[in-house]
Amino acid sequence: MTSGNLIQLTIEPLSREAFAPFGDVIQADDAAKHFTINEGNTERYHDLADIDPGADGRAIVSIFRGKPRTLPFTVTMMERHPKASQAFIPMSGRPYLVVVAKADTTPTVGDLRVFLCQGDQGVNYARGVWHHPLLGLDAVSDFLIIDRAGPGDNCDIVQMEAPSVIPALA
């Protein structure tokens, strides 16, 4: 759908199946492998994401504190990390958006998919998957990030051939 010169994107709910071409959904639910540990006191949701630091990298843990974005929001650029995966786990319990495109080509507006993630759902972008930088909603939000440290440049940025807009949530 177009609005003037802007192409309007569709927001989808985040699910493991829909997000599979782009990486992993990190969520403690019955679909995840889980079992009881610590003398019955803890349920372990096991191996939720394929963390890939790349051949010459190491996995690091950081916290990103993102300012909220206002919807409608215009998407003009995307980024990717060609050497490693990058996981985002919300710490503030608030919904947020992810915009993704497959890794195999430079993304066009027609390649973009937008997912509404709940505050208990994290995502792990597979190596090379195009994504928009952090899109927190409502208030300043913290995210636990697992990504790569190591030699070489690990961030490619591309300006989109045409802008597109994420509409306000209904």
Side-chain angles (χ1 to χ4, degrees):
M1 176 187 311
T2 49
S3 172
N5 291 339
L6 293 178
I7 295 172
Q8 184 168 307
L9 302 171
T10 302
I11 300 172
E12 306 173 51
L14 183 67
S15 70
R16 282 183 173 82
E17 299 74 27
F19 197 74
F22 312 105
D24 309 300
V25 172
I26 302 170
Q27 183 174 12
D29 63 9
D30 287 340
K33 179 179 179 182
H34 59 101
F35 47 90
T36 304
I37 61 171
N38 297 338
E39 299 176 333
N41 191 57
T42 304
E43 192 71 8
R44 177 178 176 149
Y45 292 84
H46 184 73
D47 197 14
L48 298 175
D50 183 15
I51 303 301
D52 174 8
D56 59 353
R58 66 181 182 86
I60 61 170
V61 175
S62 305
I63 294 176
F64 289 11
R65 180 163 291 152
K67 295 178 182 177
R69 306 291 184 131
T70 302
L71 299 179
F73 178 82
T74 303
V75 175
T76 60
M77 59 80 70
M78 296 288 280
E79 69 178 33
R80 70 174 177 182
H81 305 287
K83 293 185 173 213
S85 64
Q86 187 178 45
F88 283 72
I89 301 145
M91 297 174 61
S92 301
R94 294 185 190 90
Y96 63 102
L97 296 171
V98 297
V99 180
V100 290
K102 290 184 181 178
D104 50 3
T105 63
T106 301
T108 66
V109 171
D111 298 326
L112 301 182
R113 294 198 46 199
V114 182
F115 292 96
L116 175 61
C117 308
Q118 300 306 312
D120 64 349
Q121 294 177 305
V123 296
N124 181 48
Y125 300 121
R127 180 193 308 218
V129 164
W130 291 99
H131 60 278
H132 193 279
L134 190 58
L135 291 167
L137 302 172
D138 302 327
V140 171
S141 297
D142 287 349
F143 291 80
L144 183 74
I145 309 301
I146 303 169
D147 63 353
R148 174 190 183 274
D153 188 22
N154 189 34
C155 187
D156 298 332
I157 296 172
V158 65
Q159 297 299 313
M160 297 303 294
E161 87 284 5
S164 55
V165 66
I166 302 169
L169 295 172

